[in-house]
Amino acid sequence: MHSTFSTLPEWLAHCEHIHPQTISMGLERVRKVAQRMQLKFECPVITVAGTNGKGSTCAMLEAVALQSGYKPGVYTSPHLVHFEERCRIHGEIAKAQDFLPHFEAVEAARLQGEAVLLTYFEFTTLAILRMLSTAKLDVAILEVGLGGRLDATNIIDTDCAIITSVDIDHTALLGNDRETIGREKAGIMRAGRPVIVSDPVPPQSVIDYAAEIGADLWRFGKDFNYEGDKQQWGWAGRGRRYAGLSYPALRGANQLMNASGVLAAYEALRDRVPVTAQAVRTGLAMVELPGRFQIIPGQPTLVLDVAHNPHSVAALTANLDAMGYYPTTHAVFGAMADKDLAPMLLKVGPLIDRWYFTDLPTERAESAVHLQQKWNALQMVAGGTRREVPTSLYTSPQAALTAAVQAADPADRIVVFGSFYTVGEVLKDGPPRLHAKHLGE
């Protein structure tokens, strides 16, 4: 007899206790349950892997599909505030009760015959894949959770793979150099199917694997490219061009790379999912994604970014630099303990005038105390003349943000970054609108 629950939180709590580990690599268990469920997609599937830029790429793919009149389905992870954000159907976040029959189906299949232990991620992925497969979609967009080759999403054969960027992250699971990590991400490719690589300098392992299995490799700078000036940008791919495009609504220099990969994917799938130039223009101009260099106007200015590894923090630093002058930049920072924190702190450090280190509501997180110690240790190593940068400690991102607002002048800016948890906690009750206390005094 299998368990059954009447609410989504109960199912999620159940999923957390099935498997002794939170991450257990390998596809045999997931594949076995998927076969019992007879899980399959009738529509084209686009699978997106990469160290950074996956969520933005999925959002742009979805926006262009919606503007073309299609019904897309999107699976992304992790979520910022609510679990339901992981599944969008026809542009709408799925409702909690809509997940229930699919969790029920996974549980029944898992216990059919010999019981299969699934991790939280595997169980929830199977439930959402089933939800998407039954939603009569025109295109399914799947974001890889971790790596690619052994990620639960890879039980579905993709019609078009996208690899956004390859950098160092999750070294304990994926390897500690770009070549090894690239090979893991390349695992989402399929023979004879297009693979779009929007990383301008991809690891050789990605190119070699595409050749080895006979995938149709689209390389940035070779099969597609972009150019732009201050006003607009243009894209050229195999046999198609777009000129005079507005910049994507998602801010930041790296978003043109992501947008270029999106246009290449639709070009590669043009026989099955044709999109119009107008849909591309409107879709990219309207795309929204919370927590990706999200600038919330107010006094002070608030910047939210889920940047949580050296590569994405480097992009955040460049984007902050391009914003112009602010008298003081306050940083609310919370991060996971398994991240390569030193290069993250060193990169963004010169732009930060005050740090607000925070604990996060998960066991994987580094404590605020340890973050402060890491920062102080880096300052000691740097030697020479040092700026005195004040630091303080908080038990939650919300408390850290409140303190930053109290300390800030209206012309300052506050940046909240380091993890989905850090940004998610701040967005819990919707985007905060800041009004510095000094205003009108």
Side-chain angles (χ1 to χ4, degrees):
M1 181 61 193
H2 66 265
S3 309
T4 185
F5 303 98
S6 55
T7 69
L8 181 58
E10 287 174 306
W11 271 114
L12 295 175
H14 174 66
C15 292
E16 280 175 349
H17 297 116
I18 296 169
H19 199 287
Q21 293 163 283
T22 50
I23 297 172
S24 178
M25 303 295 266
L27 293 181
E28 285 144 45
R29 289 168 298 105
V30 187
R31 194 167 271 137
K32 187 179 284 184
V33 178
Q35 282 165 350
R36 290 176 185 176
M37 289 162 63
Q38 299 180 316
L39 182 66
K40 66 176 192 298
F41 279 79
E42 304 293 345
C43 66
V45 174
I46 304 173
T47 304
V48 183
T51 308
N52 298 301
K54 297 191 295 280
S56 302
T57 296
C58 290
M60 291 189 212
L61 285 164
E62 176 190 37
V64 172
L66 285 167
Q67 290 300 320
S68 292
Y70 293 122
K71 184 182 180 185
V74 186
Y75 169 41
T76 66
S77 65
H79 55 275
L80 268 174
V81 182
H82 303 291
F83 177 86
E84 296 92 304
E85 294 165 35
R86 294 184 181 216
C87 183
R88 295 195 297 275
I89 294 173
H90 212 176
E92 299 291 330
I93 292 171
K95 294 183 171 58
Q97 66 268 26
D98 296 343
F99 289 86
L100 303 181
H102 306 288
F103 275 83
E104 184 94 32
V106 175
E107 180 73 348
R110 186 179 80 75
L111 298 174
Q112 185 186 321
E114 190 187 340
V116 179
L117 295 182
L118 294 173
T119 65
Y120 174 93
F121 181 74
E122 291 166 345
F123 195 116
T124 55
T125 298
L126 282 169
I128 292 172
L129 289 176
R130 184 177 189 271
M131 193 168 180
L132 293 173
S133 73
T134 59
K136 297 187 168 56
L137 303 174
D138 297 309
V139 59
I141 300 158
L142 309 180
E143 179 187 343
V144 166
L146 184 66
R149 182 174 66 93
L150 298 176
D151 189 76
T153 54
N154 203 31
I155 57 167
I156 305 297
D157 287 328
T158 191
D159 294 284
C160 179
I162 302 179
I163 297 174
T164 58
S165 66
V166 181
D167 225 282
I168 312 295
D169 201 3
H170 303 292
T171 49
L173 296 162
L174 301 179
N176 50 15
D177 61 81
R178 283 184 83 232
E179 291 297 330
T180 312
I181 293 170
R183 174 63 189 82
E184 287 299 317
K185 296 191 187 307
I188 66 167
M189 300 179 191
R190 294 296 187 269
R193 307 263 174 93
V195 53
I196 315 297
V197 180
S198 41
D199 189 318
V201 191
Q204 192 59 40
S205 58
V206 170
I207 296 159
D208 291 348
Y209 188 67
E212 189 186 312
I213 68 163
D216 174 20
L217 177 65
W218 289 57
R219 281 183 67 176
F220 178 81
K222 194 172 168 212
D223 299 279
F224 63 100
N225 216 330
Y226 74 81
E227 56 186 26
D229 56 31
K230 285 205 162 76
Q231 268 69 49
Q232 54 189 27
W233 70 290
W235 180 92
R238 296 185 196 168
R240 184 159 192 182
R241 294 180 164 274
Y242 294 101
L245 294 170
S246 312
Y247 277 85
L250 299 179
R251 298 165 188 251
N254 47 340
Q255 295 299 0
L256 281 189
M257 292 278 181
N258 297 330
S260 291
V262 165
L263 299 189
Y266 277 125
E267 184 57 19
L269 288 175
R270 67 183 177 276
D271 295 344
R272 299 181 66 189
V273 195
V275 299
T276 64
Q278 191 52 50
V280 165
R281 286 175 197 287
T282 316
L284 294 181
M286 290 176 59
V287 63
E288 288 180 358
L289 192 61
R292 274 43 166 220
F293 196 58
Q294 182 181 1
I295 300 175
I296 296 178
Q299 294 186 307
T301 299
L302 178 63
V303 180
L304 306 177
D305 200 304
V306 294
H308 57 276
N309 54 43
H311 186 243
S312 55
V313 170
L316 168 62
T317 305
N319 290 335
L320 288 171
D321 213 18
M323 283 176 74
Y325 174 73
Y326 289 82
T328 303
T329 296
H330 306 255
V332 172
F333 182 69
M336 297 298 127
D338 59 358
K339 296 296 172 187
D340 197 358
L341 293 166
M344 290 161 64
L345 292 167
L346 283 170
K347 188 73 190 171
V348 76
L351 296 184
I352 306 302
D353 303 300
R354 287 187 76 148
W355 285 99
Y356 304 75
F357 295 116
T358 176
D359 296 328
L360 295 176
T362 170
E363 287 172 13
R364 279 183 56 215
E366 189 59 278
S367 68
V369 176
H370 279 141
L371 292 174
Q372 186 187 47
Q373 286 168 354
K374 283 210 160 85
W375 170 252
N376 290 340
L378 290 171
Q379 300 311 290
M380 300 300 289
V381 172
T385 52
R386 290 191 286 127
R387 289 189 308 144
E388 278 307 318
V389 179
T391 64
S392 45
L393 305 177
Y394 300 89
T395 54
S396 75
Q398 199 62 61
L401 177 61
T402 302
V405 172
Q406 282 170 349
D409 284 325
D412 290 350
R413 70 177 164 187
I414 300 171
V415 55
V416 177
F417 75 108
S419 165
F420 274 79
Y421 284 99
T422 318
V423 175
E425 285 285 308
V426 164
L427 284 173
K428 249 196 324 221
D429 303 315
R433 297 279 175 200
L434 303 189
H435 304 284
K437 59 174 175 30
H438 310 287
L439 218 55
E441 279 185 349

